[in-house]
Amino acid sequence: LELSQVITPKVKEQIEAAIDKVGSTQALTPIKLLLPDTVDYGMIRCVIASAQTHKADWQSVAPRLEDIESFLAKPHPRPLAGPWRCGWSLGFHSHFAGSEWTRSGIGELAFRLKYQGDLSTLPSLVEQALALVTEQPDLIRVDAVLPVPPSKVRETDPVQAFCGALSDKIKIPMQTTLAKTRQTQAQKELKTLAQKRANVAGAFTIKGNITGKRVLVVDDLFDSGATLEEVARLLLKKGAACVNILTLTRAIHADL
């Protein structure tokens, strides 16, 4: 289940009450200790995110709806931390408000590409990627663009389609070097970081020789980072000179 399906109004009230009692959101553990075991850290982060605009104090005045919509409509590239040289997302996927999600502009494009096979989104997605690499040129100082294999086979592989379109623009070849060794669950269906890491552990292999190559690994969503950490470590172990990361979107709670 997605977090939007798990966080009921009652759970949201429990989390808010725990935050009020602790009096701070600087550390999540004191809040977690006041809550049932069924409430995990991701749910706490999402409730915090719904009450703040990029790390404002919990007690601050909630942003107006039109301010949120304006913010969501604009691209907001974000750095991604992990075992790679540099990593970026084109923007956050959605904003959590109450028990509902609102997709950002980039989130809507990524959703249409992935779930509707809408290839008309590619020019806009590539345009935003090109704007990002203008500001972060190190991201594409690579020898190849590698799409992450999907957890579910679709008529149109969204990540591979995006990589192909981006590759044409930046004149760096796309290579289907990464492959799955076994089927995995969609990471969004799993609740804990331990489950997500176990889901992708040993699930990838390398086809061909990547020794000494600099690679840009591309995926559609950065959530826990477990998939990309697994892939990056494998590539480095197999001799890649460096690994960079690009995702279309990131989960908002991954930024907290």
Side-chain angles (χ1 to χ4, degrees), residues 12-13 15 19 30-32 39 46-47 52 71 94 113 127 129-130 183 190 194 197 201 203-204 210 240 247 253-254:
K12 181 173 178 287
E13 288 177 6
I15 295 173
I19 291 171
I31 299 169
K32 178 71 171 69
V39 178
C46 283
V47 171
Q52 58 187 18
F71 185 78
S94 54
L113 175 61
E127 181 182 354
L130 294 177
Q183 190 65 33
L190 305 173
R197 284 176 172 165
F204 298 94
I210 51 98
T247 69
H253 62 263

Side-chain angles (χ1 to χ4, degrees), residues 48-58 60 63 68 71-72 74-79 91-95 250-256:
I48 293 172
S50 73
Q52 58 187 18
T53 300
H54 278 261
K55 301 183 180 178
D57 291 335
W58 172 261
S60 64
I68 295 173
F71 185 78
L72 288 168
K74 300 174 183 177
H76 296 276
R78 300 293 294 178
F92 58 85
H93 186 273
S94 54
H95 176 83
R250 63 172 176 83
I252 195 165
H253 62 263
D255 199 40
L256 297 172

